[in-house]
Amino acid sequence: MNEIKRWCPPLRPIRFHGTKDERMEFVAEHLNPAKERTWDVLVTTYEVANMEKKALEKIVWHYLIIDEAHRIKNEDSQFSKTVRMLRTKHRLLITGTPLQNNLHELWALLNFLLPDIFGSSEQFDRSEEHTSELQS
């Protein structure tokens, strides 16, 4: 929230967090499609996104920006499944964690960003197997 206010002061961020009751109230007040939006940026955590995925799915997001994006390098993780269900126009991944020389992890990130281009991990997985054979 501080970084948004510091670097993009015209944007109106809101924080989606709290107890179950607080989140229910937040959803009714801020994520109701019938209500006019009073915010530009929604900031939340991985855990809240997983718990409140039904409410988040109702919105067509202009941008989805994921910090610590290495958390979706496993396409079967709960968070990866959650964000893949969201309808987005643009996606941005931010991570400082290396991919451990694993091509499948790279594919998972590319598939999230460009699913039409990187639809199948098969070619990546075959390339990794071929590389392992060459190293042996």
Side-chain angles (χ1 to χ4, degrees), residues 5 13 30 48-49 64 72-75 79 92 97 99-100 104 107 115 131 135:
K5 289 176 184 176
H30 298 287
V48 171
L64 174 62
I72 66 165
K73 68 184 180 184
N74 174 356
E75 72 273 17
F79 182 64
L92 175 67
T97 302
L99 296 174
Q100 308 295 324
H104 189 84
W107 171 83
T131 303
Q135 291 174 346

Side-chain angles (χ1 to χ4, degrees), residues 76-103:
D76 293 323
S77 73
Q78 183 59 51
F79 182 64
S80 183
K81 290 177 182 179
T82 296
V83 294
R84 287 168 187 276
M85 293 188 315
L86 299 178
R87 293 173 295 157
T88 61
K89 294 181 181 179
H90 308 283
R91 296 174 173 186
L92 175 67
L93 301 178
I94 303 168
T95 185
T97 302
L99 296 174
Q100 308 295 324
N101 297 321
N102 183 321
L103 290 178

Side-chain angles (χ1 to χ4, degrees), residues 30-89:
H30 298 287
L31 300 182
N32 184 338
K35 290 193 171 190
E36 185 177 339
R37 290 221 179 101
T38 58
W39 52 273
D40 301 308
V41 178
L42 182 132
V43 177
T44 193
T45 64
Y46 304 104
E47 294 79 16
V48 171
N50 284 335
M51 288 186 284
E52 301 296 342
K53 62 185 165 193
K54 295 292 183 203
L56 297 174
E57 287 175 355
K58 294 178 182 176
I59 297 172
V60 177
W61 299 93
H62 289 279
Y63 289 90
L64 174 62
I65 301 171
I66 301 175
D67 193 12
E68 303 294 333
H70 58 274
R71 295 191 61 165
I72 66 165
K73 68 184 180 184
N74 174 356
E75 72 273 17
D76 293 323
S77 73
Q78 183 59 51
F79 182 64
S80 183
K81 290 177 182 179
T82 296
V83 294
R84 287 168 187 276
M85 293 188 315
L86 299 178
R87 293 173 295 157
T88 61
K89 294 181 181 179

Side-chain angles (χ1 to χ4, degrees), residues 16 22-32 52 55:
F16 186 20
E22 290 169 336
R23 293 191 319 269
M24 282 178 44
E25 184 178 320
F26 183 94
V27 168
E29 180 68 26
H30 298 287
L31 300 182
N32 184 338
E52 301 296 342

